[in-house]
Amino acid sequence: MKKLTAAMVAVAGVAFAASASAATLDDVKAKGHIQCGVSQGLPGFSNADDSGDWTGLDVDMCRAVAAAVFGDSNAVKFTPLSAKQRFTALASGEVDILSRNTTWTMTRDTQLGLNFAGVNYYDGQGMMVPTSLGVTSATELDGANICTNTGTTTELNITDFFRANSMSFNLVAFEKADEVVAAYDAGRCDVYTTDRSGLAAQRGKLTAPDAHMVLSEIISKEPLGPVVRQGDDQWFNIVRWSLNAMINAEEMGVSSSNVNNLKFDANITPAVARLIGKEGNFGEELGLSNDWAYNILMQVGNYAESYEANVTPLGLARGVNALWSDGGILYAAPIR
Amino acid sequence: MQQLSLKSIIYDARMRGYFYQVFILSCLSFGFWWLIDNTVTNLADRGKTVGFGFLSENAGFQISATLGTWLFDYNVGQSSYLDVYFIGIANTFLVAILGIAGATIIGFTVGIMRLSKNFIVRSFATVYIELLRNIPLLLQLFFWYFAVLRALPSKRDKIEIIPDVAAMNITGLYLPAPIIEPGFIYSVTAFVVAIIITLVMKSWAQKRQFETGQRFPVLWTALGLIFGLTMLTFWITGNPMSWSYPEFKMTGAILRRGFQSGSGMVLVPEMLAVWLALTLYTAAFIAEIVRAGILAVAKGQTEAAYSIGMRPGMTLRLIIIPQALRVIIPPLTSQYLNLTKNSSLAVAIAYPELVSIFAGTALNQVGKEIEMIFMMMMVYLTFSLATAAFMNWFNARVKLVER
Ligand SMILES: N[C@@H](CCC(=O)N[C@@H](CS)C(=O)NCC(=O)O)C(=O)O
C-alpha cells in the first residue's frame, strides 16, 4: 500500500513540477542543501552508522558536490533508495543527484532520460556460492536458484549469461539487498549475484562469511557513477567536474593534507594553480566560486583518499580503478 | 427566452446556474490540459517520450516460476513487457483470491470463537486478533517468509507430505500438475451444464414446495448430477487429463539435484509466505467485523427462535447469520480491497506480483513511469470496482426485506 502511494506521488511529481525546473543549482541554493540519493546500506559505498552518519565512496561524491556548491561538505541530506525506486526518485525531483552504485548503460541514457556525470568505480558482476557446493566455475551453474536485487542490470546480465550458455536457472529477485542476503544465507538460493563490489560489501552480513566464495568469472561491465536528470547542463557539469577534480587531484598529488599549504605556495605548477583556484576562473564558469575544488579537496579529499578510507577496508584493491598513470583506467579530463 | 447578458448571469437563477457549470467545466478542462501539457513538456525536457510502444518490446529478465509465468508461457527473449504485465496481474490475483478465501474462513471462525462461552477458546481468539492486528503487515511478511525458509530442508532434501505426491523443501511446495489434453473442454462444459441444470431444478423445487408442500431431495440430485455428468463425459471422451508428479533426483550435477523442473508443479515459498501473511493479518480484522455483526443482532431474536422450538444450530444459520450479514458485508468488502492492495508488499520478499515485476523491474528497464503506473492503477481500480459491485449485489440479496 505504501509502495503504491509512493509510486503515485512520484508520478504526480513529474506532472506538477513546473516545466522550468531546469536550474537545479538555483533550487539547491534556495534550499541550502543537496538532496542525494544513496543505497539503503552498502558498506564502503553508502552506509549509515548507528548515529545516522553516512560514509562511503558514493557518499563522498555527494559531499564533494556540496563542498563545491556551498563550501560545506555537510550541506547534504541523504535519501536511501532501493534499486527499484532510484530512477523515479531522480526523475521526479525527490533527489538532485543519484550516487548509488548505478551502472551507466545506454537505455538509462536514452529511454530513462538520465545523464551519467562520469564513473567513480569500474565494476563487473560476480557470483557468490557456498564453498560446500564444490562449484568452481560459473559454467557449472545449470539449474541454480539465484538471488538478486530487482530493478537492476544484474537481473538482465544473469539472464543473458545463462541464455548464452544454454543453462536454466530460477531467479528470486528482492527489492532490498538485506533480504537478498538473508534469503541466500537461509539457503533459498545456490548463488548470490550482484556487482563484485556489492558482493564484497554484503559478504560481512552473512552468518559465516568464510563459508562462501566468489567465482572467478566477471560476467559484465558495470561502470558505476553519479547520475543527474537530463536537460540541466550546468548541474551536470558541476557533478562531472567535482568528480574530475578528485581524480585529477590524486594524479597531481594534491590531497586534504597538503592543499592548504599549496594555496600559499608560490612554486606550484600551473595545473595545480588552476585546480585550486589560484589561476583562471573555472569555478565561476560553473556558476560556483573559484575555490570550489579547493573546498572539495580540503573537506573530502582526493579520489585515493576516499577510496582508501572506504573501499580498501572491504579488501578490494584499486585494480582497474587505479589511475591510468598507475596502470588502471581512471582518466579524468584536464581542468583548463 | 432570456437574453444572455451580464445582468442575467447575476440575477437570473437559471442563467447563473449555467454560467457556473460552464465556468467550472472550463476550469477543470484547463486544469487537465495544463497537467498533461506540463507532463509531456517535463518529460521532453528529459529526453523522454510518451507512449505505449514499449509494451511490444522483449523483456530481458527472468521471472521466478509462478502461476503467471506458467499461464503466459514466459520465455526470456521472446515474451514482451505486455506479457510481464499479464503475469503480474495473474500473480496478484492469485494471492488476492487465495487470501480472500483463507481470510474469510479463518476470520469467521475466529470471530465466532471470540463469542464462545468457553474461556480458553475465547481468550485464544482475543489474543490472535490483538496480536495480528497490531503488528505491521510488512513485519509479519518477513516473519513468515524467513520462518518458512528456516523451517524447511535444503534444496537437495525434502519433507514428504504424501509420499510421491506432495513434498516440500526450501524451494517450494511440490504438487502434482494436471496435464490437460484437447478433449478436456467437454468435461468442463458438462460441469457447467450440470450446475445450470441444478440451479433451474432448485428454483423449480422451491416453487413446488411452496405450492404443494412436497419436498425434493435437491442436494443429492445436484451432487449426483454434477459429479455424475462430469465424470461420465470425462470417461466417454477418453480420460483427457493426466497428472504429472514431482520428480526428485539425487544424482547428476550438484545444482541439478533435488526436484526437477518440468515435473509436477511448485508453489514457491515467496507465494506461500505472502498468502499466509495476508490471510492471517486480514482474518484478524474480519474476525472483529464478524463479532460486531453477530452482536448487532438483538438477543430477543435468539430467544424468539428458541421459543418457537428452533435448535441452536438452526437459529444461528437461519436467524442470526442472515441478519448479521447485513452488518458484516460492507466492512468486509473494504477488507477484501485492503487485502488486494496489501499484496503489493510482496515485492519485499521477491514474489513476482504486479507492482514488483511490472511497476518495478520492467519500469526500471524502460522508464515509462506515467504509462506504467497508469496501467497498474487501472488493474487495482478494476479489481476494486468488480469486488465492490459483487459485494453490493450480494448485500442486496441478503438485505432484510421489509414488509
Ligand atoms: N549496478 C547495478 C546494481 C545496483 C544495486 O542495486 N545493487 C544492489 C546490490 S549490491 C544494492 O546496491 N543494494 C543496496 C540497497 O538495497 O540499497 C545497477 O545499477 O543496476
Side-chain angles (χ1 to χ4, degrees), chain B residues 246-356:
Chain B
E247 185 193 340
F248 188 84
K249 233 172 63 185
M250 274 309 276
T251 50
I254 184 149
L255 291 173
R256 276 258 159 235
R257 294 180 199 165
F259 286 101
Q260 303 297 303
S261 65
S263 69
M265 86 177 158
V266 57
L267 301 180
V268 290
E270 290 77 31
M271 192 223 119
L272 297 175
V274 175
W275 181 22
L276 200 63
L278 286 177
T279 299
L280 297 181
Y281 178 75
T282 315
F285 290 88
I286 293 181
E288 280 298 85
I289 293 171
V290 169
R291 181 179 75 114
I294 293 177
L295 287 180
V297 180
K299 203 166 164 41
Q301 296 282 328
T302 318
E303 287 161 357
Y306 288 167
S307 71
I308 59 168
M310 276 193 174
R311 277 168 280 125
M314 223 175 172
T315 310
L316 193 68
R317 197 160 55 84
L318 293 176
I319 307 293
I320 312 291
I321 300 271
Q323 298 190 71
L325 276 184
R326 286 182 303 143
V327 183
I328 292 174
I329 286 175
L332 189 63
T333 312
S334 64
Q335 286 307 324
Y336 287 172
L337 300 182
N338 280 348
L339 185 144
T340 311
K341 286 178 277 183
N342 282 337
S343 71
S344 66
L345 287 173
V347 59
I349 59 163
Y351 176 65
E353 44 75 58
L354 185 64
V355 176
S356 164

Side-chain angles (χ1 to χ4, degrees), chain B residues 188-208:
Chain B
V188 176
T189 317
F191 180 72
V192 174
V193 169
I195 288 182
I196 295 173
I197 299 179
T198 305
L199 290 178
V200 173
M201 179 183 75
K202 195 181 152 217
S203 70
W204 166 81
Q206 214 162 32
K207 209 168 137 224
R208 196 176 70 145

Side-chain angles (χ1 to χ4, degrees), chain B residues 61-87:
Chain B
F61 48 87
Q62 179 70 279
I63 300 177
S64 129
T66 38
L67 178 76
T69 51
W70 177 76
L71 279 182
F72 295 95
D73 200 13
Y74 188 71
N75 231 320
V76 187
Q78 280 153 37
S79 299
S80 63
Y81 284 112
L82 190 64
D83 292 318
V84 174
Y85 183 56
F86 289 135
I87 292 170

